[in-house]
Every structure is written in structure tokens, then in C-alpha cells.
Amino acid sequence: MKKNIFLLFLFACAILKTASAQQLEGAINFHGFVDNREYAKSSRYSPTYFGARFSPEVGILVDSAHRFRIGVNILKQFGSKDFADKISPVIYYQYQKQKHNFFIGAFPRLNLIDDYPIALLSDTLNYFRPNIEGMFYQYKTANFKQNLWIDWTGKQTATDRETFLFGFSGKYQPGLFYLSHYAYMFHNALSATSPPNQHLEDNGAVELLLGLDFSKKTFLDSLTISAGPLVSIERTRNVTGIQTPAGLITYLYAAYKQFAVKNTFYKGEGHHLINGDMFYSDKQYDRLDVSWKPIKYKNIEGGFVFSFHFLNGIIDSQQAFSLRYALSGGKNLDKKR
């Protein structure tokens, strides 16, 4: 681990040495979180996630469109005896110009695919897998955007299985109405010396939403409603055929100043989504999130979310606090300019 950090440091020094004709830039990101989950009434695992992440980056902006960055993402889970529980590299190239935005490398998922519904991709990914390791492309105009991405999550070895996720999402909003979609597939392949009882798995989902955005027509800062089908695609090869459980999902979101309310209701067949939220294994489920963000100052934002999970006649609960700090900037080092 120390050797890897030293190599990253040497590479960062090499970037700084060659940046005299470029723009040197960097970023510092911090994420502190506590998430207490009380799921005993529904007989689900009730963890408490409590920790912090620190992720510094340094790099060069070659011109107005091309960027190289290197850094680390360090996770510390409070109560752990280790100095750091996980240190992940951050190293990527970005091309950003007009309607196009492209990444390749190991780069933060924040503001790229962190808006996926948690039915598809669980919110715990923000705590324990904050980076995409692969590629991401976005095409965006004033009222349309489309994302394509692949996240390589496991390298095949004699004992480890090859795993990756690939997906696409987008939104079209010409006015009051909008149409959005989210889709991905998780491919759980075999290890190099797979035992007979190891089977390849395909596991993913598609969610299509038709919505109304009343944000500009009320005193609220935001008011949206949407609904559409949620369909998962599940298969264990040579064991089961392709299964496609489906149902209807609806969303209501309202926000005013520091406060927000979000209600999510699902009714249909139960899903088994490996990367999704566990509650969608039930045929009917309602979630109410009440949030308050008392901290919002320059580069700092923090707040509480109180969540209530209604299913099978019982109510589970969840209390979370999250604080993010993000600072970025650059300096032109070309003396001739």
C-alpha cells in the first residue's frame, strides 16, 4: 500500500514538472457521513455506516478541453483499528467541450451517475464505492442529456470473478413534461478456474419515467411528480432462464429552502437486484424521506435525512447525516502568457 502511494506521489511530481506550459489545477473533496438503519421489524440487516472520505486531486488542464488528474480516495470507518480502511487511486483523463463530456480512468461517480434511483443502484455505493473505474460519456443540451458508462468492478483471477456494470441514462425536458430513463446490467462472470457450482449471472434493471415539473409554477423551489415501469432482468445461466419481474414506481418530490420531502411508492413483483436497494424484493413498498439542510455555505453542504419504510404493515426507519466539502481551482503556470 505504501509503495502504491509513493508511486502516485512520484507521478504527481512528474505532472507538476511538465505543467509549466499548462494550467495547474487541483481539488479537495471531503465526505463525512453517518447512516443508522433500523430494519429489524422487516427482518433485514440493520447496519450503521459511520465514517469519512478524503480525496485530494492534482493535475493539468492542457487546454480548454483536455484534463489529466491524479489523486487518492481514502476511506476511514470510525471505530476501525486501521489507519485507513480503503485507499483507492484517482487517475483519469477528461474531455469536456460544448455538448460533450468524456472520462476514462478511475474518477468520482458524484454528479455523473449518482442520480440513479436506489431501486437500481443502492445509495451505499456513495459510501463504499465512490469511483467509477472505466469510462463515461455524456451528451448534453439545454433540454436533453444522455449518459453511457461502464464500471469495471472485478478483475478475473484464479479465484476472483470478473465483474462489471454497464448502463445508460438520460432525460428529455422541453417544458412542463419530461421523460427520463435509467438502465444498467451487472455481469458476474467466472473466475479463471471456476468450480462446477459457479455460474455466470446477469442482473440489471430498466426504469422509465414520465413526469411533470411544476417548479416554476409554484412558490416552492422544486415540485415534481413522475411514474413509470420498473423492470429487472435476472438470470443465472444454466440454472434459471431470463426472469423479468415488473411493477409500477411513482415519485413525488417537493423542496422549499432548507427542507425537502420525497415519497417513493412501488407496487408489482419482487426484484432481486444485486446492486439495488433490498426493500424492492417486496411486492408493495413505500418510502418517505424528510430532509433538512441547515449547512450550506460556499463549498460546504450538510444536512439530515429521516426515512420511513412502509411494507407488510410495519414501519422501518433510518436516520442519516451527510456533509460534503468541495474545493477546486487552478493556476496558469505559462510564464509567456
Side-chain angles (χ1 to χ4, degrees), residues 19-26 59-61 328-334 337:
S20 59
Q22 319 295 334
Q23 178 172 313
L24 173 66
E25 57 179 17
I60 55 174
L61 183 63
S328 62
K331 181 179 180 182
N332 194 330
L333 298 182
D334 189 348
R337 297 182 182 178

Side-chain angles (χ1 to χ4, degrees), residues 69 275 281 303:
R69 288 280 184 92
N275 292 276
S281 61

Side-chain angles (χ1 to χ4, degrees), residues 17 22 28 38-39 62 65 87-89 92 98 105-106 113 126 169 197 205 226 260 265 279 283 286 303 311 317 324:
K17 186 176 180 180
Q22 319 295 334
I28 296 176
E38 302 290 347
Y39 297 165
V62 179
I87 300 177
S88 304
Y92 63 90
Q98 296 176 348
I113 65 168
N126 295 324
S169 63
N197 62 343
S226 58
F265 176 76
F279 282 106
K283 295 182 178 181
D286 186 84
L311 68 164
S317 62
R324 289 188 181 273

Side-chain angles (χ1 to χ4, degrees), residues 288-303:
L288 176 65
D289 298 305
V290 181
S291 61
W292 174 45
K293 289 186 177 180
I295 304 173
K296 193 169 185 179
Y297 178 73
K298 291 184 178 180
N299 303 309
I300 303 175
E301 184 173 280

